[in-house]
Amino acid sequence: MTGRIRIATPSDVFAISEWTRDTFPWGDYIPYVLERWIADETGRVFVGEVDGTVVAMGRVGMLGPDEAWAQGMRVHPDHRRQGHGLRITNALSTWATEQGAKVIRLSVETWNTSAQAQVEAAGFRPVSDWVHAVRAVGESSPVPAGNGGKRVPPAERLRVAHSAEADAAYMSWMGGELARAARNLIQIDWRWQRLSLEVLTVAARDMGLLEGRPGWAIFEIDETEFLVHWLETGPSDARAMVLALVDKAAESGAETVGIMIPAVAWLERELKRLGFDPTHPNTVWAKAL
């Protein structure tokens, strides 16, 4: 049995898609993104071969001049526990180092102990825990008291912030509990990177930064979902902030609102009280390069 690691090509898409369709009980996203990943010049997809057959894969990309993100590590069911995942993970780290990355990060579901053991063996360490919380908006909401049913504007309202307000949002975040729990990371498209003043300023310029008395948030609308990628608030303002976000989602016409938060007890508790379903608990892992 011989093996090697190489960069993926379009001819690999069909074979990989066949053995990644049922990775999890719900399926897998790899068959839907693999072709685009291979064509994306900002990153690389690496594959592991055994006797000419692709049995492992993973993708790495740069999120900035010194931050890399790894994702989509998969091993064929018939070739697991043979070191293929570790070799792929090491290849991703090597490529990131060659691009100038000082750190590479990835996320693993908290229940996936085998994947956690693999990335730990590759030199990664857990840095922050996250929860994705989702609920319906408007009449489909299960919690009328939380802006469900007939829409009633909350006591606090959020407005689109000017870029000049990014500095205040950043200063509040840097001194708060959420930043400590998040290790100063922000999630966009299930990829985590360091939050900077520039990120907030760009979000404001793109009309994606919200501001109000209870806090700040970065959002976007993806088809029918109102996505909150980042928020800054405190324990005493959490309820007002979440209600204001739900109202903003209803105002936009979204059917659901999803919020990605660092796993902080008081914020998780308030989201549950307001009808959110915490799903996809993840841990972000990091490795210094």
Side-chain angles (χ1 to χ4, degrees):
M1 182 175 68
T2 60
R4 66 168 179 147
I5 303 293
R6 63 170 173 81
I7 294 175
T9 68
S11 63
D12 296 315
V13 172
F14 178 78
I16 294 174
S17 297
E18 286 298 296
W19 54 260
T20 56
R21 292 189 189 281
D22 301 313
T23 305
F24 306 106
W26 52 266
D28 202 338
Y29 67 88
I30 295 297
Y32 304 99
V33 301
L34 184 55
E35 187 172 7
R36 173 167 55 85
W37 279 0
I38 292 174
D40 185 358
E41 289 298 321
T42 65
R44 292 289 185 275
V45 176
F46 285 86
V47 296
E49 284 186 333
V50 172
D51 296 331
T53 299
V54 175
V55 300
M57 66 153 288
R59 181 189 184 272
V60 61
M62 298 297 292
L63 299 183
D66 60 1
E67 295 177 274
W69 181 256
Q71 61 192 127
M73 280 78 82
R74 302 287 188 272
V75 177
H76 191 291
D78 296 336
H79 295 269
R80 291 173 182 163
R81 301 187 183 280
Q82 299 174 19
H84 299 299
L86 180 59
R87 286 189 283 273
I88 286 289
T89 304
N90 288 338
L92 305 184
S93 297
T94 298
W95 182 88
T97 300
E98 293 170 348
Q99 310 313 305
K102 303 300 182 186
V103 63
I104 181 171
R105 301 186 187 93
L106 52 80
S107 71
V108 180
E109 295 86 350
T110 55
W111 52 263
N112 196 341
T113 55
S114 60
Q116 292 170 18
Q118 175 187 303
V119 299
E120 188 171 15
F124 287 79
R125 64 181 182 86
V127 294
S128 59
D129 295 320
W130 294 75
V131 173
H132 183 225
V134 182
R135 64 160 277 182
V137 175
E139 294 183 2
S140 58
S141 169
V143 184
N147 283 15
K150 184 178 179 181
R151 182 177 167 222
V152 178
E156 304 285 354
R157 303 299 300 273
L158 299 176
R159 63 179 180 82
V160 175
H162 188 275
S163 58
E165 298 174 32
D167 188 66
Y170 185 68
M171 293 299 292
S172 177
W173 165 259
M174 290 301 292
E177 183 179 348
L178 294 182
R180 290 191 295 275
R183 291 297 184 94
N184 198 32
L185 298 177
I186 179 175
Q187 175 277 148
I188 298 177
D189 295 331
W190 292 91
R191 300 181 298 178
W192 280 258
Q193 67 183 96
R194 185 171 53 250
L195 180 73
S196 65
L197 178 58
E198 181 183 6
V199 169
L200 289 169
T201 301
V202 170
R205 289 174 181 167
D206 293 341
M207 309 291 285
L209 179 64
L210 296 174
E211 181 270 339
R213 190 206 60 77
W216 293 265
I218 290 178
F219 82 103
E220 71 169 320
I221 298 174
D222 182 11
E223 296 181 351
T224 61
E225 186 171 15
F226 186 93
L227 301 174
V228 180
H229 298 301
W230 169 86
L231 73 89
E232 162 59 2
T233 190
S236 62
D237 292 318
R239 181 180 178 84
M241 184 66 181
V242 174
L243 284 172
L245 286 168
V246 173
D247 186 70
K248 201 70 178 179
E251 185 181 278
S252 73
E255 296 177 4
T256 59
V257 54
I259 303 178
M260 183 67 78
I261 62 164
V264 175
W266 53 264
L267 185 51
E268 287 188 75
R269 185 167 54 247
E270 203 59 69
L271 286 167
K272 289 178 181 178
R273 287 174 177 169
L274 294 174
F276 281 81
D277 179 21
T279 62
H280 295 96
N282 272 261
T283 298
V284 175
W285 296 66
K287 177 182 178 181
L289 300 175

